[in-house]
Amino acid sequence: MEAVKVSEKLGIPVKVINTTKSFLEIVKKPKHGYGKNMNPCIDCRINIFRAAGEYMKEIGADFIITGEVLGQRPMSQRKEAMKTIDREAGLTGLVLRPLCAKHLEPTIPEKEGLVNRDELLEIKGRSRKDQIQLADIFEVTDYPCASGGCLLTDPEFANRMKDSVNHGDPGVNEVNLLKVGRHFRIDDKTKVIVSRREEENSVVEKLATVHDFLLEMKDITGPLAIIRGEISEEKLKIAAQLTARSSKAKSEPSAEVIISKAQTGSMQRVLSVPQIDPDLVKELMIKK
């Protein structure tokens, strides 16, 4: 975690607060809607600020500081959005944004003289030139690049997340599984996930639950797959075909796939299946 690395380097204590569960509920139905994909930016900030506000009260702090810049993010860093976030987090007047403070109304700590407003900045907009210059002044060189960020802004991951929300009530395990492999939806109740690389096999195996079945090639190095949901013999056949399709056996007329109950390894058997129709693969795959 970047914040932990920075805190260790600068000797600043850091408090890690896990907001995963509450955030997941927000992703399923955000009050303030999504961004371009499945990113509920405003609701996400409210969730984080609420947690920070609770910790602020716990330790007896007077206010919260963030590194936000007005106009840098199109959804959550607009002036009205910032006001909404502060209000719904119960922190109106208590969030100091020193990088862009002079574009905003004075906060309570400024009004009470805890912070000198004259020394605050007025950075605004998408460019990060001013922040980079500021980093140079304070001789800060190891800072993250501006690109990247929330997975929910990634079209492929967002589409998988949307599919999961539309077909059930995904938990943390399923969300973690969305990050790996190729995902196929057999029907409303059943999914298949096939690893893409060898290093993903261990992740797939770790995330498999006792309700899942694992599939792997017999006598051939290849992917590990999970079938999850309502499982029938016909669905196991399709899962086996999808597994074979991602292996070196895809050019063979048929392939043998080992099927076993996840975690227990019980009920192991070998299923011989013909190659799957490529058009069916495209139809089943959860795409962008």
Side-chain angles (χ1 to χ4, degrees), residues 14-259:
V14 63
K15 169 73 173 180
V16 178
I17 301 173
N18 191 331
T19 60
T20 303
K21 290 184 178 180
S22 55
F23 176 66
L24 183 53
E25 293 308 308
I26 286 168
V27 172
K28 295 172 186 176
K29 194 174 181 180
K31 176 181 177 181
H32 297 279
Y34 299 107
K36 187 176 180 181
N37 291 296
M38 284 286 284
N39 45 307
C41 299
I42 293 177
D43 294 89
C44 174
R45 299 299 289 177
I46 293 169
N47 186 48
I48 292 171
F49 279 30
R50 278 177 182 157
E54 290 172 5
Y55 186 61
M56 177 190 76
K57 294 173 183 175
E58 181 184 327
I59 64 174
D62 294 299
F63 58 96
I64 288 170
I65 302 172
T66 85
E68 294 169 290
V69 168
L70 184 66
Q72 194 158 93
R73 297 289 183 183
M75 191 171 181
S76 63
Q77 292 179 8
R78 295 174 291 107
K79 189 174 290 188
E80 288 306 311
M82 288 176 169
K83 288 181 179 179
T84 298
I85 291 164
D86 294 356
R87 182 180 67 252
E88 295 199 15
L91 293 170
T92 297
L94 295 173
V95 181
L96 179 68
R97 299 172 172 91
L99 295 181
C100 61
K102 289 184 179 177
H103 289 296
L104 306 172
E105 296 175 7
T107 58
I108 292 172
E110 293 169 75
K111 292 176 181 177
E112 293 183 349
L114 296 175
V115 175
N116 184 353
R117 184 173 175 83
D118 292 338
E119 295 184 9
L120 302 179
L121 304 180
E122 49 185 340
I123 301 174
K124 182 180 181 181
R126 302 296 293 271
S127 172
R128 287 172 169 79
K129 182 176 66 175
D130 290 331
Q131 293 94 307
I132 292 172
Q133 290 177 347
L134 194 62
D136 289 339
I137 292 171
F138 287 100
E139 299 182 347
V140 177
T141 57
D142 185 19
Y143 50 83
C145 63
S147 61
C150 178
L151 262 178
L152 291 166
T153 63
D154 176 79
E156 182 179 11
F157 183 85
N159 208 45
R160 293 178 178 186
M161 187 71 210
K162 186 184 296 182
D163 173 83
S164 291
V165 171
N166 289 342
H167 291 90
D169 187 23
V172 175
N173 175 281
E174 185 164 355
V175 172
N176 284 329
L177 194 55
L178 297 179
K179 300 174 186 178
V180 298
R182 295 183 178 90
H183 289 240
F184 303 89
R185 176 145 310 270
I186 296 180
D187 59 25
D188 287 344
K189 302 293 185 180
T190 314
K191 273 184 71 175
V192 175
I193 300 94
V194 184
S195 69
R196 290 169 292 196
R197 298 176 293 275
E198 183 180 351
E199 56 266 30
E200 287 188 341
N201 286 358
S202 59
V203 180
V204 169
E205 184 175 18
K206 182 179 179 181
L207 292 173
T209 72
V210 292
H211 304 291
D212 303 327
F213 281 86
L214 289 173
L215 302 96
E216 58 186 318
M217 300 304 299
K218 183 178 183 292
D219 301 326
I220 300 175
T221 300
L224 185 65
I226 287 178
I227 180 168
R228 173 173 289 183
E230 293 184 0
I231 300 169
S232 66
E233 191 64 23
E234 182 59 29
K235 292 176 186 179
L236 282 172
K237 178 184 174 182
I238 295 173
Q241 289 177 305
L242 290 169
T243 305
R245 174 77 179 175
S246 295
S247 75
K248 293 178 181 178
K250 65 181 179 181
S251 58
E252 301 295 328
S254 63
E256 291 187 320
V257 179
I258 300 172
I259 301 174

